[in-house]
Amino acid sequence: MNLEISTIWFWIILGVTGIISGVVGYLFGKVNAGSDSDNSFQINLLEIENAKLKADLDTCKKRLSAAKPSKENVIDPPVPISKLAPTFHANEAKTAFGKSIKENDLKIVEGIGPKIEELFHKFDIKTWKALSETSADTCQEVLNSGGKRYRIHDPASWPMQAKMAYEGHWKQLAEWQEKHRAGKY
């Protein structure tokens, strides 16, 4: 008799668990189905908005192409003063570095000494502007041309430093070099 009662309770518990699982599964399905319809509604709204924006863009492009003057009638504007080469101010450089600085002295760049400056001059890089427009890879090629002892230098920051010197940002250059003494970052 005990075995029969245990078996009955087993089947009752199993049945109740199945019913509860079914109800919970149904409820989860209902909740997820509602969010799918919300997502598809939002996607539709975004697609409509995207179509409107594309139409606006096409309208703007048409207006722009209609408003463009022909190349023959365009006169080149004069070069603004701000685009002209910066003027070298020796006093500002001396104030920032505490020593006299010669214009286009590449040795002002942290990591460049007299021998490395000679290497750059051989590659016709003789000014701060020229060095500022030189890639770090080209700087490394210049160093490699001098032999093994020059390959240990890291020229990654040299164009940036040369640009600061060329543009007359003496205080910023001195501060940067103080933070990165001897090429250490």
Side-chain angles (χ1 to χ4, degrees):
M1 174 117 172
N2 279 343
L3 184 61
E4 288 178 16
I5 294 176
S6 307
T7 306
I8 292 174
W9 279 109
F10 170 77
W11 288 109
I12 291 173
I13 292 173
L14 185 63
V16 169
T17 305
I19 291 170
I20 291 173
S21 298
V23 169
V24 169
Y26 174 78
L27 293 176
F28 278 134
K30 268 297 215 191
V31 169
N32 286 340
S35 66
D36 284 346
S37 65
D38 288 344
N39 287 341
S40 63
F41 179 73
Q42 289 178 346
I43 290 172
N44 287 339
L45 286 178
L46 290 174
E47 287 174 348
I48 292 168
E49 183 67 23
N50 190 25
K52 287 179 184 177
L53 290 172
K54 284 181 180 180
D56 288 346
L57 179 62
D58 289 339
T59 303
C60 289
K61 284 180 180 178
K62 288 176 186 175
R63 287 182 186 168
L64 181 62
S65 64
K68 280 187 181 177
S70 67
K71 299 264 182 194
E72 299 163 357
N73 298 336
V74 175
I75 299 172
D76 291 335
V79 177
I81 293 174
S82 63
K83 296 289 184 183
L84 299 176
T87 305
F88 174 65
H89 298 285
N91 291 336
E92 291 178 16
K94 185 175 183 177
T95 302
F97 282 92
K99 64 180 182 179
S100 294
I101 306 292
K102 292 181 184 176
E103 186 172 8
N104 291 315
D105 181 5
L106 298 183
K107 295 183 297 291
I108 193 66
V109 173
E110 178 70 28
I112 295 181
K115 297 289 185 181
I116 293 176
E117 183 180 46
E118 286 179 29
L119 290 174
F120 277 95
H121 285 181
K122 288 179 185 175
F123 279 76
D124 202 32
I125 300 171
K126 300 177 181 179
T127 65
W128 294 322
K129 183 176 191 296
L131 181 56
S132 73
E133 295 171 345
T134 303
S135 70
D137 290 337
T138 303
C139 290
Q140 189 63 55
E141 289 175 22
V142 170
L143 290 173
N144 292 346
S145 74
K148 287 184 180 181
R149 67 186 224 178
Y150 295 105
R151 291 184 184 144
I152 62 168
H153 296 278
D154 182 8
S157 68
W158 294 356
M160 183 255 324
Q161 291 183 63
K163 184 175 183 180
M164 281 193 261
Y166 172 68
E167 292 177 350
H169 301 293
W170 298 109
K171 185 178 177 186
Q172 292 91 337
L173 177 59
E175 289 172 357
W176 187 92
Q177 288 181 352
E178 187 61 34
K179 287 181 187 173
H180 303 87
R181 196 50 74 198
K184 304 280 189 257
Y185 302 110

